[in-house]
């Protein structure tokens, strides 16, 4: 009888988690209205070339209508020190364009002046309408190759999202499997904690 209840709880939790949002739950930052952006690509450990196109992919999660009707900006940042992620000197990490949060995908060109490095991250910048402030959130780390020398970063403090060590999925369907697995593990752990 208890096994039946356990299976029912796992099924309910998995369907609830997967219905809320797909994507990488570790690369998120929640607004005061309960919504967040979940970056799917770039994924942990991936590699890109300066001067080439980068397709940024994300899910807009939650039910905050103000968030979902807003726009977002992206920038490449130096993430060598996860306790102090820094903007790149001279603004070279800024990526042109302001897609809508609900677009879910945005194609940009990685600036040719971005130096080679193993620890870059994607900073997403959006307005938290309810809190009337700008939110800076950071994704997983990835590499960019280029023959240019490393450019020093500007000083600054940053809020860092904790990210998983495993590779993030690069498609929304792969992301759905990851979140279902994460939701199942959380429910199983919660049931055994009872």
């Amino acid at each position: 009888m208890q096994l039946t209840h356990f299976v029912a709880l796992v099924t309910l939790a998995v369907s609830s988690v997967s219905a809320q949002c797909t994507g990488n739950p570790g690369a998120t930052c929640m607004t005061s209205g309960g919504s967040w952006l979940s970056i799917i690509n770039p994924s942990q450990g991936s590699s890109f070339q300066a001067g080439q196109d980068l397709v940024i992919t994300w899910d807009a999660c939650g039910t905050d209508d103000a968030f979902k009707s807003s726009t977002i900006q992206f920038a490449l940042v130096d993430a060598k020190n996860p306790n102090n992620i820094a903007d790149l000197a001279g603004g070279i990490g800024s990526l042109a364009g302001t897609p809508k949060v609900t677009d879910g995908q945005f194609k940009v060109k990685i600036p040719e002046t971005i130096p080679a490095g193993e620890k870059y991250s994607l900073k997403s910048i959006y307005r938290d309408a309810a809190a009337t402030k700008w939110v800076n959130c950071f994704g997983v780390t990835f590499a960019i190759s280029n023959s240019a020398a490393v450019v020093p970063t500007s000083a600054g403090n940053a809020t860092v999202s904790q990210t998983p060590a495993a590779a993030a999925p690069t498609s929304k369907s792969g992301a759905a499997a990851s979140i279902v697995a994460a939701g199942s593990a959380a429910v199983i752990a919660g049931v055994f904690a009872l």
Side-chain angles (χ1 to χ4, degrees):
M1 185 75 146
Q2 287 185 356
L3 182 57
T4 306
H5 290 269
F6 174 74
V7 172
L9 282 172
V10 169
T11 303
L12 175 63
V14 169
S15 64
S16 296
V17 170
S18 61
Q20 290 173 7
C21 187
T22 61
N24 178 359
T28 61
C29 192
M30 192 172 293
T31 67
S32 59
S35 289
W36 66 97
L37 194 74
S38 181
I39 303 294
I40 298 167
N41 191 56
S43 60
Q44 177 71 33
S46 56
S47 184
F48 303 94
Q49 175 68 40
Q52 292 185 342
D53 289 338
L54 167 64
V55 178
I56 302 168
T57 310
W58 67 90
D59 279 325
C61 309
T63 59
D64 182 354
D65 290 334
F67 171 69
K68 289 193 174 187
S69 65
S70 65
T71 59
I72 188 165
Q73 298 170 2
F74 293 104
L76 298 172
V77 293
D78 180 348
K80 285 186 288 243
N81 178 353
N83 296 316
N84 187 24
I85 294 178
D87 289 331
L88 299 176
I92 63 170
S94 296
L95 301 174
T98 53
K100 295 177 185 173
V101 168
T102 55
D103 287 348
Q105 186 172 331
F106 185 59
K107 183 177 175 181
V108 295
K109 184 175 182 175
I110 298 173
E112 292 179 6
T113 55
I114 293 286
E118 296 294 317
K119 296 286 185 177
Y120 282 99
S121 184
L122 185 69
K123 176 170 75 170
S124 55
I125 308 149
Y126 50 86
R127 182 107 174 121
D128 184 340
T132 62
K133 66 179 182 177
W134 288 95
V135 177
N136 295 319
C137 298
F138 304 91
V140 297
T141 59
F142 54 90
I144 296 178
S145 57
N146 194 337
S147 59
V150 175
V151 174
T153 59
S154 61
N157 294 324
T159 304
V160 180
S161 293
Q162 296 299 317
T163 57
T170 56
S171 69
K172 289 188 178 185
S173 61
S178 294
I179 191 100
V180 168
S184 299
V187 170
I188 291 168
V191 169
F192 286 110
L194 296 175

